Amino acid sequence: MNLVKVRHNFESAHRLPQLGGKCTNLHGHSWWAEITVAGRLDERGVVVDFGMLKKSLREWIDTHLDHGSMLGEADPLVPALKADGTKLFLFGSAEPSKGLEWPTVENVAELLARVTSDRIAEAGWTDVAVSRVQVTETHVNAAEVIR
Protein backbone atom coordinates (compact mmCIF):
# COMPACT_ATOMS: atom_id res chain seq x y z
CA MET A 1 0.00 0.00 0.00
CA ASN A 2 1.24 3.48 -0.86
CA LEU A 3 0.32 6.76 0.82
CA VAL A 4 -0.09 10.27 -0.58
CA LYS A 5 -0.46 13.31 1.69
CA VAL A 6 -1.94 16.72 0.99
CA ARG A 7 -1.39 19.54 3.48
CA HIS A 8 -3.29 22.80 3.49
CA ASN A 9 -3.99 25.59 5.94
CA PHE A 10 -6.96 27.88 6.35
CA GLU A 11 -8.15 30.63 8.65
CA SER A 12 -11.56 30.14 10.21
CA ALA A 13 -13.56 31.10 13.26
CA HIS A 14 -15.76 28.76 15.23
CA ARG A 15 -17.45 28.52 18.58
CA LEU A 16 -18.59 25.63 20.73
CA PRO A 17 -21.41 26.80 23.01
CA GLN A 18 -22.31 23.22 23.92
CA LEU A 19 -18.98 22.84 25.76
CA GLY A 20 -19.15 25.85 28.06
CA GLY A 21 -16.04 27.76 29.06
CA LYS A 22 -14.05 30.10 26.86
CA CYS A 23 -14.88 28.22 23.62
CA THR A 24 -18.44 29.54 23.82
CA ASN A 25 -16.98 32.75 22.41
CA LEU A 26 -16.57 33.14 18.66
CA HIS A 27 -12.82 32.82 18.06
CA GLY A 28 -10.47 32.00 15.22
CA HIS A 29 -7.62 29.65 14.48
CA SER A 30 -5.00 29.07 11.84
CA TRP A 31 -6.09 25.52 11.01
CA TRP A 32 -3.84 22.95 9.35
CA ALA A 33 -5.16 19.87 7.60
CA GLU A 34 -3.04 16.88 6.59
CA ILE A 35 -5.02 14.44 4.48
CA THR A 36 -3.58 11.02 3.65
CA VAL A 37 -4.97 8.67 1.03
CA ALA A 38 -3.81 5.11 0.47
CA GLY A 39 -3.87 2.88 -2.55
CA ARG A 40 -1.93 0.73 -4.94
CA LEU A 41 0.28 2.18 -7.62
CA ASP A 42 -1.31 2.25 -11.04
CA GLU A 43 0.43 1.47 -14.32
CA ARG A 44 1.97 4.98 -14.28
CA GLY A 45 3.46 4.40 -10.82
CA VAL A 46 1.11 6.73 -8.94
CA VAL A 47 -1.66 6.28 -6.38
CA VAL A 48 -3.71 9.24 -7.66
CA ASP A 49 -3.23 12.26 -9.88
CA PHE A 50 -1.56 14.24 -7.10
CA GLY A 51 -2.11 17.65 -8.73
CA MET A 52 -5.80 16.93 -9.20
CA LEU A 53 -6.24 15.78 -5.58
CA LYS A 54 -4.42 18.83 -4.19
CA LYS A 55 -6.37 21.24 -6.37
CA SER A 56 -9.73 19.67 -5.54
CA LEU A 57 -9.20 19.57 -1.77
CA ARG A 58 -7.66 23.03 -1.57
CA GLU A 59 -10.47 24.55 -3.63
CA TRP A 60 -13.11 22.95 -1.41
CA ILE A 61 -11.43 24.13 1.80
CA ASP A 62 -10.86 27.65 0.45
CA THR A 63 -14.41 27.95 -0.86
CA HIS A 64 -16.22 26.60 2.20
CA LEU A 65 -14.00 27.17 5.23
CA ASP A 66 -11.22 29.71 4.67
CA HIS A 67 -11.83 33.19 6.08
CA GLY A 68 -15.30 32.27 7.29
CA SER A 69 -16.97 30.93 10.39
CA MET A 70 -17.89 27.34 11.19
CA LEU A 71 -20.95 27.06 13.39
CA GLY A 72 -23.41 24.44 14.46
CA GLU A 73 -26.72 24.69 12.65
CA ALA A 74 -28.46 25.24 16.02
CA ASP A 75 -26.13 28.07 17.06
CA PRO A 76 -28.16 31.19 17.95
CA LEU A 77 -25.56 33.36 16.16
CA VAL A 78 -26.43 31.86 12.75
CA PRO A 79 -29.33 34.20 11.86
CA ALA A 80 -27.38 37.36 12.76
CA LEU A 81 -24.26 36.30 10.86
CA LYS A 82 -26.31 35.23 7.84
CA ALA A 83 -28.11 38.57 7.85
CA ASP A 84 -24.73 40.32 7.95
CA GLY A 85 -23.51 38.33 4.92
CA THR A 86 -20.77 36.54 6.86
CA LYS A 87 -19.29 33.47 5.15
CA LEU A 88 -20.62 30.48 7.13
CA PHE A 89 -20.20 26.75 7.01
CA LEU A 90 -22.92 25.08 9.06
CA PHE A 91 -22.41 21.75 10.76
CA GLY A 92 -25.49 19.58 11.23
CA SER A 93 -28.05 18.10 8.89
CA ALA A 94 -26.73 18.81 5.38
CA GLU A 95 -24.02 16.80 3.65
CA PRO A 96 -21.10 16.59 4.01
CA SER A 97 -21.51 17.46 7.72
CA LYS A 98 -24.69 15.48 8.37
CA GLY A 99 -24.65 14.18 11.94
CA LEU A 100 -21.72 16.40 12.94
CA GLU A 101 -23.56 18.93 15.07
CA TRP A 102 -20.75 21.31 16.11
CA PRO A 103 -17.42 22.40 14.59
CA THR A 104 -15.13 20.67 17.07
CA VAL A 105 -11.66 19.85 15.80
CA GLU A 106 -12.74 16.19 15.78
CA ASN A 107 -15.73 16.99 13.57
CA VAL A 108 -13.66 19.18 11.23
CA ALA A 109 -11.33 16.19 10.73
CA GLU A 110 -14.30 13.92 9.97
CA LEU A 111 -15.74 16.54 7.62
CA LEU A 112 -12.51 16.66 5.62
CA ALA A 113 -12.34 12.85 5.54
CA ARG A 114 -15.83 12.82 4.01
CA VAL A 115 -14.98 15.54 1.51
CA THR A 116 -11.85 13.64 0.48
CA SER A 117 -13.81 10.41 0.03
CA ASP A 118 -16.27 12.30 -2.18
CA ARG A 119 -13.41 13.72 -4.28
CA ILE A 120 -11.89 10.25 -4.70
CA ALA A 121 -15.24 8.87 -5.88
CA GLU A 122 -15.83 11.80 -8.25
CA ALA A 123 -12.38 11.28 -9.82
CA GLY A 124 -13.15 7.59 -10.35
CA TRP A 125 -10.03 6.43 -8.54
CA THR A 126 -10.47 2.78 -7.61
CA ASP A 127 -8.58 1.01 -4.87
CA VAL A 128 -7.91 4.39 -3.23
CA ALA A 129 -9.31 5.45 0.15
CA VAL A 130 -8.84 8.00 2.89
CA SER A 131 -6.34 6.60 5.34
CA ARG A 132 -5.92 9.42 7.83
CA VAL A 133 -6.93 13.04 8.34
CA GLN A 134 -5.24 15.18 10.96
CA VAL A 135 -6.57 18.65 11.71
CA THR A 136 -4.67 21.03 13.95
CA GLU A 137 -6.49 24.06 15.32
CA THR A 138 -3.58 25.37 17.42
CA HIS A 139 0.00 24.25 17.82
CA VAL A 140 -1.06 22.08 20.75
CA ASN A 141 -4.57 20.86 19.78
CA ALA A 142 -5.24 18.37 17.02
CA ALA A 143 -7.60 15.55 16.13
CA GLU A 144 -7.24 12.63 13.77
CA VAL A 145 -9.57 10.38 11.84
CA ILE A 146 -7.99 7.04 10.99
CA ARG A 147 -9.73 4.67 8.64
Side-chain angles (χ1 to χ4, degrees), residues 124-145:
W125 294 321
T126 58
D127 298 323
V128 176
V130 175
S131 170
R132 176 181 167 267
V133 175
Q134 180 179 11
V135 173
T136 305
E137 66 174 5
T138 69
H139 285 35
V140 295
N141 296 335
E144 291 185 53
V145 171

Side-chain angles (χ1 to χ4, degrees), residues 12-60:
S12 188
H14 74 151
R15 77 181 208 116
L16 304 167
Q18 81 286 8
L19 297 181
K22 65 183 182 179
C23 290
T24 62
N25 296 303
L26 187 62
H27 62 284
H29 296 290
S30 293
W31 301 77
W32 278 93
E34 181 177 275
I35 299 159
T36 305
V37 301
R40 301 203 186 287
L41 297 179
D42 68 12
E43 64 282 351
R44 301 168 300 156
V46 299
V47 175
V48 296
D49 179 327
F50 194 54
M52 189 173 158
L53 179 64
K54 286 191 304 185
K55 184 176 189 264
S56 178
L57 290 175
R58 289 175 177 169
E59 282 179 357
W60 193 93

